[in-house]
Amino acid sequence: MIGNIEVFIQNSIRIRSRVGVIYIDPFQMKEEPKDADFVLITHDHYDHFSPEDIGKVSKADTILVVPEKMATKAREVSGMVGKIETVKPSVYREMGGLEFETVPAYNTLKPFHPKSAEWVGYILRIDGKRIYIAGDTDATKEAKAVKCDIALVPIGGTYTMDAKKAAELINTIRPDVAIPVHYGHIVGKPGDGEVFAENVMAPIKVEFKIAF
């Protein structure tokens, strides 16, 4: 499963699975693969909801999933996808064969991602694994309650957890594998990945996916 997960930049992720090709927050895509069966958006900031990049990955029958409060904004890409679905935090959904849960994603002491916006992370149920894509969040009580096999967590600081806080979250939820994202580009340094890995406790394995 780990080999089927790619991280391009920020929280831009592609996962290939038996239920299809899934993108989360596609951003600054260098190619136009137009192979997405699903595109999942965590929130409406430009580096997560990028109409240009949704167009690059989507095809005629792509299902786009966005937080409910983004419904109006999502209409600007309605011509690029087959269907738009909306979700609230803390729900279970199944659509097109993909099962997932949403997890509230928000800041606790910063103003950038308010809880009231009802933005989300996702726990995807894929090929027998639970894959948590945290989105832009701090180590909230909801994040600390997640049960997953693989966790992709932001470590860049400023707008999200920094590397040490993200490692603390991973040490709490204890997935088999942790993948750091959202660093080394707009926020954070490439070296933050090493700081994260040094603070994650064995036997949790840290995998680096962003290429610098």
Side-chain angles (χ1 to χ4, degrees):
M1 187 75 247
I2 295 298
N4 294 339
I5 299 174
E6 300 168 82
V7 182
F8 301 105
I9 201 168
Q10 291 294 92
N11 199 53
S12 180
I13 298 160
R14 176 167 61 195
I15 303 174
R16 301 181 189 276
S17 75
R18 283 182 290 196
V19 299
V21 178
I22 305 154
Y23 285 84
I24 300 91
D25 295 348
F27 180 58
Q28 293 189 359
M29 300 297 296
K30 294 179 180 177
E31 300 173 347
E32 295 191 28
K34 294 190 178 294
D35 59 349
D37 295 293
F38 306 91
V39 176
L40 278 54
I41 301 299
T42 61
H43 65 292
D44 70 2
H45 289 168
Y46 77 95
D47 53 330
H48 297 262
F49 178 71
S50 167
E52 176 186 357
D53 293 286
I54 290 171
K56 288 180 180 179
V57 304
S58 295
K59 50 192 174 115
D61 61 350
T62 298
I63 297 174
L64 175 68
V65 183
V66 302
E68 193 172 274
K69 290 189 176 180
M70 279 185 63
T72 300
K73 190 167 187 175
R75 286 184 201 145
E76 64 187 272
V77 299
S78 59
M80 304 175 185
V81 300
K83 183 162 60 170
I84 298 174
E85 299 275 4
T86 63
V87 292
K88 292 179 74 70
S90 304
V91 299
Y92 164 85
R93 294 290 297 274
E94 186 279 328
M95 53 185 70
L98 176 64
E99 294 182 85
F100 64 86
E101 301 157 40
T102 58
V103 181
Y106 60 93
N107 293 134
T108 52
L109 298 172
K110 305 168 186 174
F112 308 110
H113 305 89
K115 190 174 185 179
S116 59
E118 296 189 334
W119 291 331
V120 299
Y122 295 92
I123 302 173
L124 309 180
R125 301 183 183 185
I126 298 177
D127 301 347
K129 299 292 186 184
R130 292 171 60 86
I131 304 172
Y132 175 40
I133 296 101
D136 279 14
T137 190
D138 286 327
T140 65
K141 63 182 182 185
E142 294 92 346
K144 291 175 182 177
V146 163
K147 296 185 180 357
C148 64
D149 302 290
I150 301 166
L152 292 90
V153 293
I155 69 165
T158 306
Y159 305 108
T160 69
M161 300 175 280
D162 63 17
K164 289 184 177 179
K165 288 290 185 184
E168 288 177 15
L169 172 62
I170 290 300
N171 293 336
T172 298
I173 65 175
R174 302 198 62 75
D176 295 328
V177 180
I179 301 171
V181 300
H182 209 281
Y183 70 104
H185 179 59
I186 295 172
V187 290
K189 307 179 295 297
D192 289 342
E194 296 297 338
V195 175
F196 173 73
E198 288 166 4
N199 285 275
V200 169
M201 297 188 302
I204 303 167
K205 185 177 181 183
V206 174
E207 289 272 355
F208 297 116
K209 291 287 185 176
I210 297 178
F212 296 107

